[in-house]
Amino acid sequence: EALARAFAAKKSFKDEPSLQVLETLLNDELRLAVESEMHMDFNNACLHLAKRIIADPKTASWWFDLGCVTCRSGDDAKAEECFHKALGIDIRHVNANLALGTLMCKRDNYREAEKYFRQASDGSSDVLAWSCCIVFFDLESKEQERKACSKQLSMSEKKTGSTKKSAYLRAGSFFVELHATQLVERAMTQEFMRNPGG
């Protein structure tokens, strides 16, 4: 209720106190969602994240956050809806594209997965996008594409000043969040094969 009132105030006044109250309430909802998930209470976590969306349904990253928690709760179909909502707001939302690519891999729908991985990395210097593409093309045994993505990753790390890190470890961390066992196993296997000394 307080969240709805603060959001209404934001729409009508645009004054600083109302915006601060809204921001505080939204941060509280995020904190409560994280705490709920830590206690394995996914329903409550999703409820808190949904309250943020009610306050502002046009924020793609909030749909992505809800999709991730929903996915970790085991409801991939609902997670997919959330990721599509995020893309409906921002078609170039890198993480939503990566998440959909990951979900498609979990379903063995590699043609669709490739579409989302390519969309995530297209024209992007996002190191996570390029890392996930490397693992995907490695999984698909498309060596030429994997090498091209490796080159793009190197350029992106330089361009963004990102810490140089193994693409397989970086992507594996993302895949773990979405319970994509096959991709995690592939990433870790390739990490051990390509970087045996760590």
Side-chain angles (χ1 to χ4, degrees):
E1 293 171 26
L3 189 60
R5 282 194 306 276
F7 188 63
K10 174 188 172 201
K11 281 183 169 178
S12 58
F13 306 134
K14 298 270 188 208
D15 64 343
E16 237 10 78
S18 296
L19 290 175
Q20 288 174 345
V21 168
L22 178 62
E23 188 174 321
T24 300
L25 290 170
L26 293 172
N27 288 336
D28 285 347
E29 292 298 337
L30 179 60
R31 180 184 52 75
L32 291 168
V34 170
E35 288 175 9
S36 295
E37 188 176 4
M38 287 173 61
H39 290 101
M40 305 299 284
D41 185 354
F42 293 105
N43 288 336
N44 227 3
C46 289
L47 185 89
H48 289 295
L49 292 175
K51 287 180 182 178
R52 296 171 76 214
I53 291 169
I54 290 168
D56 186 3
K58 294 291 184 195
T59 303
S61 60
W62 293 356
W63 283 104
F64 171 75
D65 292 344
L66 179 59
C68 287
V69 172
T70 305
C71 187
R72 288 192 292 269
S73 77
D75 190 348
D76 285 356
K78 180 68 175 168
E80 183 179 356
E81 286 178 36
C82 293
F83 298 140
H84 278 295
K85 288 272 194 184
L87 291 184
I89 296 164
D90 177 8
I91 191 68
R92 300 195 48 84
H93 193 278
V94 172
N95 287 348
N97 276 297
L98 293 175
L100 282 166
T102 303
L103 285 180
M104 294 303 114
C105 283
K106 287 172 73 173
R107 294 181 185 154
D108 297 327
N109 185 347
Y110 299 107
R111 181 175 289 168
E112 276 296 296
E114 183 172 346
K115 177 183 101 174
Y116 289 114
F117 284 123
R118 285 189 185 275
Q119 200 165 290
S121 60
D122 185 38
S124 171
S125 46
D126 189 284
V127 293
L128 178 60
W130 290 111
S131 298
C132 290
C133 285
I134 288 169
V135 174
F136 174 75
F137 288 122
D138 191 87
L139 178 71
E140 286 286 279
S141 299
K142 294 182 177 179
E143 187 61 18
Q144 191 173 1
E145 285 93 338
R146 189 198 66 76
K147 284 181 179 177
C149 290
S150 276
K151 194 175 191 177
Q152 287 294 327
L153 173 61
S154 239
M155 291 176 9
S156 294
E157 286 174 333
K158 287 177 189 168
K159 183 178 180 180
T160 62
S162 297
T163 305
K164 202 157 178 51
K165 182 178 178 181
S166 161
Y168 298 102
L169 292 177
R170 186 181 281 128
S173 296
F174 181 80
F175 298 142
V176 161
E177 291 294 316
L178 298 174
H179 295 187
T181 310
Q182 177 188 22
L183 290 169
V184 172
E185 288 174 354
R186 184 60 178 212
M188 294 305 97
T189 299
Q190 290 304 309
E191 173 63 20
F192 292 127
M193 287 175 56
R194 295 179 188 272
N195 303 314

